[in-house]
């Protein structure tokens, strides 16, 4: 499917490639772009045919953040609405993407192909895995625009990914992380040459797709849930329940039989 600001394709079986498509504006966020992402995520949320998703940007940037030259009205805007009301509607329209990313059963891989600034950095943090081109960089630009450095869930996600001190420094200074530093501190899993980025992300998506659909769904679900879990005991209890559910699937039986018979498993999501 192709739209004006979001492109999707299936480059490999079961792998959905989603491309932000405003290259002349460095894929800066507009209401149309954010709504397009919402629609794609809603469409694939429970689609068992989609085994993994790769998110990237067209052209030379991943996403340059909020388009200050013209974001547009969020859905549901009311004529003559006050500035706080309209502003909060826009804010929630963007922030709700965080939950939308988590609700998609298939893991989402960010292929960060250039600048990921402000809200663009937040989009990458919503993803389950981040792969980065060697020339790409994260820019914590919120505070450089006269805003609070914590926005769109970044003040919650970033400390959990790189620690409180590093997150504080980055958000308070509005600093930049190049690819090498992002990999060193664990913000991205892999850095590859620019021309190899998409294939690297697709390879990871294919590796995920080799596993049982239910097992992948439960793994993503437990990882995100336990990121918020206050105790080891409650985390393990959640693992126990999802693990027992997994043992009751026909795909688990197929995996065991395939292992014993020394052959690749054939999963049917049953």
């Amino acid at each position: 499917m192709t739209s004006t600001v979001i492109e999707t394709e299936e480059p490999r079986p079961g792998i959905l490639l989603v491309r932000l498509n405003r290259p002349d504006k460095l894929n800066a966020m507009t209401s149309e772009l954010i709504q397009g992402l919402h629609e794609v995520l809603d469409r694939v949320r429970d689609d068992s045919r989609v085994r993994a998703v790769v998110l990237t940007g067209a052209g030379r940037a991943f996403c340059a953040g909020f388009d200050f030259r013209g974001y547009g009205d969020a859905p549901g805007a009311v004529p003559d609405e006050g500035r706080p009301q309209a502003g909060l509607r826009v804010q929630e329209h963007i922030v709700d993407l965080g939950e939308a990313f988590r609700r998609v059963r298939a893991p989402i891989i960010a292929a960060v192909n250039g600048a990921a600034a402000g809200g663009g950095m937040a989009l990458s943090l919503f993803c389950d895995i981040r792969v980065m081109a060697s020339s790409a960089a994260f820019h914590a630009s919120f505070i450089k625009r006269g805003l609070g450095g914590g926005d769109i869930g970044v003040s919650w996600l970033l400390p959990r990914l790189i620690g409180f001190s590093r997150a504080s420094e980055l958000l308070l200074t509005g600093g930049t992380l190049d690819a090498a530093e992002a990999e060193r501190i664990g913000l991205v899993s892999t850095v590859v040459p620019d021309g190899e980025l998409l294939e690297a992300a697709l390879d990871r998506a294919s590796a995920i797709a080799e596993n049982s659909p239910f097992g992948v769904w439960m793994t993503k679900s437990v990882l995100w849930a336990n990121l918020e879990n206050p105790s080891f005991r409650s985390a393990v209890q959640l693992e126990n329940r999802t693990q027992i559910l997994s043992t009751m699937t026909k795909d688990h039986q197929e995996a065991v039989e395939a292992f014993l018979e020394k052959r690749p498993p054939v999963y049917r999501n049953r």
Side-chain angles (χ1 to χ4, degrees), residues 150-230:
D151 193 20
I152 319 177
V154 169
S155 65
W156 187 88
L157 281 164
L158 197 60
R160 285 166 169 77
L161 293 169
I162 64 173
F164 184 83
S165 181
R166 285 195 181 106
S168 295
E169 180 179 13
L170 189 63
L171 296 179
L172 288 167
T173 62
T176 293
L177 281 179
D178 64 20
E181 180 67 4
E183 183 180 34
R184 188 185 72 80
I185 66 177
L187 186 56
V188 300
S189 59
T190 309
V191 172
V192 297
D194 291 10
E196 300 174 15
L197 176 67
L198 198 54
E199 283 301 305
L202 291 173
D203 286 346
R204 281 152 182 79
S206 294
I208 291 169
E210 291 177 359
N211 299 312
S212 73
F214 190 77
V216 169
W217 174 20
M218 290 296 98
T219 301
K220 174 173 177 172
S221 177
V222 166
L223 279 168
W224 279 104
N226 282 342
L227 197 62
E228 304 177 25
N229 217 319

Side-chain angles (χ1 to χ4, degrees), residues 6-23:
I6 300 290
E7 290 184 340
T8 63
E9 61 178 291
E10 188 178 344
R12 299 182 186 181
I15 310 302
L16 182 70
L17 174 62
V18 180
R19 184 179 283 109
L20 310 180
N21 189 36
R22 299 187 72 219

Side-chain angles (χ1 to χ4, degrees), residues 123-135:
L123 287 182
S124 76
L125 301 186
F126 294 159
C127 295
D128 303 284
I129 298 169
R130 281 160 295 283
V131 180
M132 197 169 188
S134 57
S135 69

Side-chain angles (χ1 to χ4, degrees), residues 19-168:
R19 184 179 283 109
L20 310 180
N21 189 36
R22 299 187 72 219
D24 56 325
K25 302 296 184 183
L26 303 182
N27 303 313
M29 292 176 169
T30 62
S31 179
E32 183 186 9
L33 183 141
I34 296 302
Q35 183 59 26
L37 269 179
H38 274 293
E39 290 171 3
V40 168
L41 295 172
D42 287 347
R43 190 173 73 246
V44 303
R45 175 181 175 182
D46 299 322
D47 188 345
S48 61
R49 296 170 299 174
V50 176
R51 303 297 313 284
V53 177
V54 173
L55 175 67
T56 195
R60 58 191 179 90
F62 180 75
C63 175
F66 193 91
D67 191 336
F68 288 97
R69 290 184 172 86
Y71 179 86
D73 294 327
V78 177
D80 300 322
E81 193 170 37
R83 284 188 64 190
Q85 293 88 338
L88 188 57
R89 195 183 299 276
V90 166
Q91 187 78 3
E92 290 178 343
H93 188 220
I94 302 172
V95 170
D96 286 348
L97 276 176
E99 280 299 317
F101 273 66
R102 291 174 65 168
R103 286 194 299 267
V104 173
R105 295 178 180 182
I108 303 175
I109 300 169
V112 183
N113 58 304
M121 182 174 74
L123 287 182
S124 76
L125 301 186
F126 294 159
C127 295
D128 303 284
I129 298 169
R130 281 160 295 283
V131 180
M132 197 169 188
S134 57
S135 69
F138 293 108
H139 305 276
S141 55
F142 304 107
I143 206 164
K144 295 295 188 181
R145 305 293 179 264
L147 303 169
D151 193 20
I152 319 177
V154 169
S155 65
W156 187 88
L157 281 164
L158 197 60
R160 285 166 169 77
L161 293 169
I162 64 173
F164 184 83
S165 181
R166 285 195 181 106
S168 295

